[in-house]
Amino acid sequence: MCLAHLHAVSDAYQQALFAGEIAPLSRLIHSTAAVSKSSRISVYQNNQSGTLKQVLAAAYPVCREIVGARYFQQLSAYHIKQHPSSDRNVDNYGDSFAATLERLLHIRAELDEMPYLADMARLEWLLHKAYYAADRISFDFTGFAKLSPEQQTQVQFRLAEDIELMNSSYAVCQLWQAHQNEQIQNDNNLPDFSYCSANPQYLLIQRKQWRCDVEIIDKPLFQLLMAIRQGKPLLEFAQYQENSSMDITGLIHSGMVSYVEPYDYD
Amino acid sequence: MQTITSISGQAGVGLRTPHIPQILQQELAIPWLELLVDNWLAEGGLTRYYLSAIAERYPLTLHGVGLSLGGLEPLDLNYLAKIKAVMQQAGALWYSEHLCFSQLASHFSHDLLPLPYTEEVIQHVSERINRVQDFMGCQLLVENVSSYVTYQESDFSEGEFIAALVANTGCALLLDVNNFYVNQVNHSHDALSQIRLLPHTAVREIHLAGFADKGAYVIDAHNNPVASKVWELYETTLQLTGAVATLIEWDNDIPALEVLLDERAKAQCYLHQLNKDIDGQQQCA
């Protein structure tokens, strides 16, 4: 089955929706006196961009509040043109929005006073990911206890799926938290977050009781969590644990290190 | 889990996020709910918790928008496997999808793009429906879509196209009355004539929704009450299909749940009238 016509229709929609070129689709459809071909095609163009704009607004509420709804629409429209959706599930759209903002920070004068905006978008996307992540799996203490001391040093620990890590030169954690507080926003008492700190923030994002939150953690704990994420063995944790506010045992008991990779020790 | 196995003759509502707490906290006389399955595929978190809680209280059906049933790209079996898992977890009565395509090579329109009605496309979509039914291990309900374009190459009417698919695959139908009405306005097709062409015994579910009137055309926006013309078409359609399960959809400018339930009650009224054969004794809409 060659499906030549369906291929032509599919190609024509790609042109209309992702390149703004409606001529190929116009050649394939009917028009009526009351409704032109371009009006008909524009319904699909508007649906596509409208849906993705809604999705971005839902995923990046703080960025939207910072720049204002109208300007956020402009940023969204720019991003959607550059990045058509490549995921079947529309809830997964928007992962590269921070990178778009990063590029725009250098060319849009409106963003001059918001150098932290891309980092805020990065944080919001990680919160979004954490919200939908798989539930935690209890650490298998019994199974771990059955391993020999040597085997215990070789196992690979895994972070819970809802845990995300990032660092930023800006106070995005405080800024995000301030935007969760309606009173502070209404009083317009937000402090200035536009300065770049000499000491970057290390952030831990996780889901607790269905809600996602962000907190600042110390650098050694950040490094320890990164080492676990990278699949490094237990023996390599020592260099970070010494000055960390939490060691591997504490992480296990807090549920953040959810299980041990099943190895075949036979 | 609910033990009701048939929702035939019952009017339900499409569950949307703002209404979830109310649905769970109150004892509401809603015979069944439909979930937009694409919103329930998360592996954990509140979504998963809600799914279990809702399934314990209400019979559920699943409605998909992301499969690209008529598309050119291979069927996404990973996506279908996730839907199958949700179906099992929720004890859902059935899974429905749209007769359209949405995947365009490596990108997605996230819209329901209409198919050309040709013999070749009938064979293509029939094969894909059969594959979905085999994979899911159950009958698929396919839904007619609203559209804003028709193709010069189409050889069949919408009703003929859908009837051929049912004949080829044994799939069931989700008949969206509003979509047929939207297409009537947008393409000057007679909606009832198209509905008459369908195999009515295959209709398992009916959808009703409101559209946005743009003057020369209408958009299937699901942002208004069901229009009076659509209620009229629904009443006539029920004469053909019998009292099948009917759903009210409202996806944009979502009103208070009470408004949605009032719409549901109207649909239920029509279904009761049909069952009791008391034509004309009660004004439903």
Side-chain angles (χ1 to χ4, degrees), chain B residues 185-257:
Chain B
V185 175
N186 291 345
H187 309 309
S188 303
H189 298 159
D190 179 53
L192 186 56
S193 299
Q194 295 303 310
I195 291 172
R196 286 190 193 283
L197 292 171
L198 302 176
H200 302 125
T201 54
V203 178
R204 190 95 71 85
E205 179 182 350
I206 287 176
H207 273 184
L208 296 168
F211 54 76
D213 191 343
K214 298 292 181 184
Y217 61 96
V218 295
I219 293 182
D220 181 29
H222 294 193
N223 65 341
N224 275 305
V226 179
S228 58
K229 293 274 176 106
V230 175
W231 284 119
E232 287 171 22
L233 187 58
Y234 172 59
E235 187 173 19
T236 311
T237 300
L238 286 180
Q239 300 290 336
L240 301 170
T241 63
V244 297
T246 299
L247 186 93
I248 304 293
E249 290 184 298
W250 202 316
D251 293 286
N252 294 298
D253 304 325
I254 296 173
L257 182 60

Side-chain angles (χ1 to χ4, degrees), chain A residues 213-231:
Chain A
D213 207 351
V214 55
E215 61 186 297
I216 299 169
I217 58 175
D218 54 82
K219 185 177 179 181
L221 176 56
F222 182 87
Q223 290 173 318
L224 174 59
L225 289 165
M226 286 298 285
I228 297 170
R229 166 145 292 169
Q230 289 160 5

